[in-house]
Amino acid sequence: MITTNCFVFIHMHKTGGQLLNGVIKNCFLEHQEIGYHFPHKYIPKSHKDLPVIGAVRNPWDWYVSWYAFNRSMFELGNGSTLFLVVSHGGTASADETIYNLACLADDNSRSKIMRDALYSVLPDSLEGNKGIGLCKDDITSLSQSGKGYYSWLFERMLGADNNAKKQIIRFESLIDDFIQIMEKNGVACIDELRKSLQRSGKVNKSLRSHYSSYYNTQLKEVIEIKEQTLISQFSYEYDNKNGEYLGNTRPNFRKLSGKANNFLLLHKDFCVNKLVTKVASLHNDYWQESGREKRFKVHRHTNSLYFIQDKDFRHSRPTKHPLFFEFEQELTPILDFIKSYFNGDGQVVRLVLVNLKAGGVIRPHRDIGYSLLHCHRMHLPLITNELVDFTVGGETKHLPSGSLWEINNATVHGVENRSDQDRLHLILDWVPNDTLREKDKKLEKWGKFYIFAHNVVRSINFRFNQLKRQKRIG
């Protein structure tokens, strides 16, 4: 939101707001920025009587623009929480993602699960909130509205009333409409504004095809129903360019192999007794070495043992820690099953044992970084009970001991241990070969000696620390 002495401009998502923001700040020296994507209710009392300017866009076009922009940000590792939830961590197709967003307020289990996921991670207020500009109360408001997401957002940002103070610009004629409104409001610097707008050009533009390429007949009608009020109010129509259909395209790599959104059961009944017994025999000092709970605030209630892990979260040639070789016999049946399940196409790049303390929580969060987003994340519970809840994408399950699950770590996930016993999980990340980048392939080719030498040094350090422990205990 930007306030001036003449008007208040509210930055409505994906309607040319970046362009107008820049021009207004350049031409109105007395302007004041209030938050980021703040709605009309945050207009200061001193400016309540001024005209409120916002923008609207063809709803079919708006959803595709929103999708294309957020998809590109996701590929750079900066996906918004809203996109991650409605796209199931980036695994859903374009049309499925748009449908999920448009129907987010619907009264069904699928939409409720997504709203629960959003509610768990969004802040309590907008103060300091960047990006999507939503808080927990907004999810409550959305669920009560029953509206299409864009209609709800438009009303939330600019108000439900249609008084004369609210002046709406059409995105499709953004510059002309803005100049006309400035003239209507008696702004003096019209020529400066026009030149500044013409120099700036489009800002934050997404690379995509015409919006009709993303719609099948069903999705087109869904938007027509959900956004009927805006469509009628601004006389929008669907423009069919008959381009190549892109709506069902999906990313090359899909979490859970495209078989599920949040949880996928891979094996029901591993015998984990020998592994649990051997872990129990370890001295407590081993649990302090990884420092994972110190590096990542969300894991502060945990302790970890590294079998296969690298601090840089590399996507190839992972480091096998000395502890892996100590446990290789117990781990082999599990690793052999996973290799068979994925037809040998890839490798395990991370293998970590994580203990969540009694009464501890791993707060809802999402993983970022190329390797974490392009791996199959698996959990094998070793010690657990029915008071341990695992939530992924708003869906909550108890994972029994000995069961192997793939979970979608690209979307919002967290764990709550409500019991008085520690919970112990083995976590594995499998990387398919077709996700390797050029730098990963080079490491595959030339990194053998480096990894060998690195493992030798680690083994020596491990043995040295082992002798120190034995001496101290003795």
Side-chain angles (χ1 to χ4, degrees), residues 36-49:
Y36 190 80
H37 284 313
F38 272 26
H40 73 102
K41 70 178 182 180
Y42 287 90
I43 296 174
K45 290 182 179 179
S46 57
H47 291 69
K48 287 286 187 183
D49 294 328

Side-chain angles (χ1 to χ4, degrees), residues 240-251:
N240 190 358
K241 294 288 186 181
N242 294 317
E244 179 187 1
Y245 179 51
L246 303 173
N248 61 355
T249 55
R250 297 178 182 272

Side-chain angles (χ1 to χ4, degrees), residues 364-377:
H365 65 288
R366 55 186 175 85
D367 292 347
I368 58 174
Y370 183 86
S371 190
L372 290 174
L373 295 177
H374 291 81
C375 72
H376 293 286
R377 164 61 57 88

Side-chain angles (χ1 to χ4, degrees), residues 322-460:
L323 204 58
F324 171 81
F325 302 102
E326 295 284 321
F327 280 79
E328 190 168 9
Q329 182 177 352
E330 290 77 17
L331 294 171
T332 295
I334 301 165
L335 297 177
D336 285 348
F337 171 84
I338 292 171
K339 184 177 181 179
S340 175
Y341 183 88
F342 290 107
N343 299 314
D345 178 25
Q347 61 182 313
V348 171
V349 295
R350 283 172 291 277
L351 180 58
V352 182
L353 198 62
V354 178
N355 182 66
L356 177 60
K357 298 174 184 177
V361 296
I362 299 174
R363 297 202 176 279
H365 65 288
R366 55 186 175 85
D367 292 347
I368 58 174
Y370 183 86
S371 190
L372 290 174
L373 295 177
H374 291 81
C375 72
H376 293 286
R377 164 61 57 88
M378 287 160 279
H379 276 252
L380 176 63
L382 304 181
I383 300 174
T384 188
N385 62 78
E386 292 185 354
L387 294 178
V388 178
D389 291 331
F390 204 136
T391 300
V392 180
E395 182 180 356
T396 300
K397 287 185 182 293
H398 165 66
L399 311 186
S401 176
S403 60
L404 179 65
W405 297 78
E406 182 180 350
I407 64 108
N408 187 354
N409 65 313
T411 193
V412 178
H413 58 286
V415 186
E416 183 178 7
N417 183 359
R418 296 179 287 110
S419 75
D420 58 1
Q421 300 175 353
D422 288 4
R423 182 227 69 171
L424 187 65
H425 273 206
L426 185 67
I427 302 177
L428 311 94
D429 285 347
W430 177 271
V431 165
N433 289 327
D434 63 5
T435 65
L436 297 182
R437 301 159 293 183
E438 284 305 314
K439 66 179 181 180
D440 302 319
K441 293 174 182 177
K442 288 179 181 178
L443 188 59
E444 285 284 318
K445 185 176 181 180
W446 303 108
K448 293 181 179 180
F449 175 75
Y450 169 78
I451 298 299
F452 172 76
H454 192 60
N455 285 339
V456 169
V457 172
R458 280 188 171 276
S459 296
I460 293 172

Side-chain angles (χ1 to χ4, degrees), residues 97-270:
T97 302
I98 291 171
Y99 178 89
N100 288 341
L101 181 62
C103 301
L104 191 56
D106 282 9
D107 187 20
N108 58 52
S109 58
R110 177 172 171 166
S111 296
K112 185 179 184 300
I113 283 173
M114 289 186 285
R115 292 198 302 270
D116 287 346
L118 285 166
Y119 192 88
S120 69
V121 293
L122 289 175
D124 293 326
S125 75
L126 292 181
E127 296 302 324
N129 188 14
K130 289 284 186 179
I132 59 175
L134 297 175
C135 62
K136 284 180 167 53
D137 286 346
D138 293 317
I139 301 305
T140 303
S141 167
L142 173 64
S143 64
Q144 293 172 349
S145 74
K147 297 177 181 291
Y149 182 82
Y150 182 45
S151 291
W152 169 82
L153 182 65
F154 184 86
E155 186 174 300
R156 169 187 176 267
M157 295 297 292
L158 298 168
D161 56 325
N162 290 313
N163 59 49
K165 288 190 299 182
K166 188 162 69 175
Q167 301 175 3
I168 304 300
I169 300 165
R170 286 175 177 268
F171 172 83
E172 295 77 15
S173 51
L174 190 74
I175 294 177
D176 289 342
D177 284 7
F178 184 68
I179 293 298
Q180 287 179 15
I181 285 179
M182 292 296 99
E183 290 174 340
K184 177 182 176 181
N185 292 322
V187 171
C189 55
I190 296 297
D191 290 339
E192 184 183 354
L193 282 170
R194 183 180 285 107
K195 290 177 182 178
S196 184
L197 284 165
Q198 291 171 346
R199 282 196 307 267
S200 299
K202 289 187 176 180
V203 179
N204 226 13
K205 183 181 178 181
S206 304
L207 295 175
R208 60 180 177 88
S209 300
H210 186 267
Y211 69 79
S212 63
S213 301
Y214 293 80
Y215 287 95
N216 55 28
T217 301
Q218 179 185 4
L219 184 58
K220 169 184 172 290
E221 292 175 353
V222 166
I223 302 303
E224 185 174 2
I225 293 169
K226 289 291 181 182
E227 314 300 343
Q228 183 58 51
T229 301
L230 284 181
I231 291 170
S232 298
Q233 183 179 350
F234 295 99
S235 302
Y236 279 120
E237 295 180 350
Y238 183 82
D239 181 11
N240 190 358
K241 294 288 186 181
N242 294 317
E244 179 187 1
Y245 179 51
L246 303 173
N248 61 355
T249 55
R250 297 178 182 272
N252 291 331
F253 173 73
R254 299 194 67 206
K255 294 280 188 182
L256 287 68
S257 303
K259 298 177 181 177
N261 295 330
N262 300 316
F263 294 93
L264 180 63
L265 179 61
L266 306 183
H267 193 288
K268 288 184 179 180
D269 192 20
F270 272 110

